[in-house]
Amino acid sequence: MLIKALLAATILSAAPAAAGLDAAAETPEAAPQQTAADALPEPSGEVDSEVVERVNAYLDNLNAVQGRFVQINPDGSAYEGEIYLDRPGKARFDYDNYPLLIVADGMTVAQRDEELETTDRVSLKSTPLYYLLKSDVNLTEDAQVEAAGTSGDSTFVTLSDPEGEFEGVLTLYFSSPSLELREWIATDALGQETRFALTDVRRASSLDPRLFTLDGDEADDRRGRR
């Protein structure tokens, strides 16, 4: 299934390219010359256990947040949109001026192409989003920690999947010394990087649960219960 290749290898890395728009569709904007990722340190192979513990605690205490994102693909194309995270398990990525919506409902990650009127789903656990959204985060048990440390104003953790659900690595970047998630970079098995930078991130007391349900799903559930 196409979505599994897209989401399992590099979360959202090529999702817009898979939306099936024809050659006449609007060309995405070029990646900005300066991005948050440009100034980020290259992770070493060393693992600072204190950093891992701090990141664990941060993710465990991260509840509802919303903000903006910039997704920069390996080919340099860039897409922007709105992001909503509601731990545990839920996320929504609304792309600006693009007929694509990605929603995690706690069990699955769904990709809806509004133009093709198609929806594909994979298990949340088979995507890197799992590490951000699962309850009771324990990175040393949930993943293989490849690197963890602090350099300048950035703290980072690089993770791989010991069970092979997805290939490649995921590096989470946080501000330092105040720990706030600001970016992640997914590197696939071929070494291609997809950057996902967050801006205007703000915590929320709660988010509308309807954000994490695709239109039509609730009706399907009601019909199934009859």
Side-chain angles (χ1 to χ4, degrees), residues 21-173:
L21 299 185
D22 59 32
E26 182 179 354
T27 302
E29 297 181 359
Q33 293 299 309
Q34 296 293 328
T35 69
D38 291 334
L40 296 177
E42 186 72 21
S44 66
E46 299 180 355
V47 176
D48 185 328
S49 59
E50 292 185 2
V51 167
V52 176
E53 290 178 3
R54 289 184 63 211
V55 171
N56 270 338
Y58 168 81
L59 292 176
D60 264 337
N61 288 296
L62 185 67
N63 296 315
V65 297
Q66 64 185 93
R68 297 282 301 169
F69 70 82
V70 179
Q71 175 186 317
I72 305 173
N73 300 315
D75 64 0
S77 61
Y79 295 86
E80 299 184 21
E82 295 281 343
I83 182 173
Y84 304 86
L85 301 178
D86 195 0
R87 295 187 64 258
K90 298 178 181 179
R92 181 185 180 98
F93 301 86
D94 263 325
Y95 287 83
D96 294 344
N97 304 315
Y98 208 91
L100 189 70
L101 175 64
I102 294 177
V103 172
D105 63 5
M107 297 295 293
T108 64
V109 180
Q111 174 182 286
R112 171 163 290 179
D113 184 328
E114 301 289 354
E115 182 169 272
L116 297 179
E117 299 183 349
T118 60
T119 302
D120 294 305
R121 288 179 171 84
V122 294
S123 166
L124 174 61
K125 193 172 182 179
S126 70
T127 76
L129 274 178
Y130 176 71
Y131 297 131
L132 293 177
L133 299 179
K134 76 179 295 288
S135 60
D136 301 323
V137 174
N138 188 330
L139 295 179
T140 57
E141 292 186 1
D142 300 332
Q144 176 68 42
V145 180
E146 305 287 350
T150 298
S151 178
D153 63 354
S154 295
T155 292
F156 57 85
V157 174
T158 299
L159 308 169
S160 64
D161 181 6
E163 297 181 0
E165 288 281 348
F166 70 91
E167 297 179 350
V169 297
L170 177 72
T171 301
L172 306 176
Y173 287 95

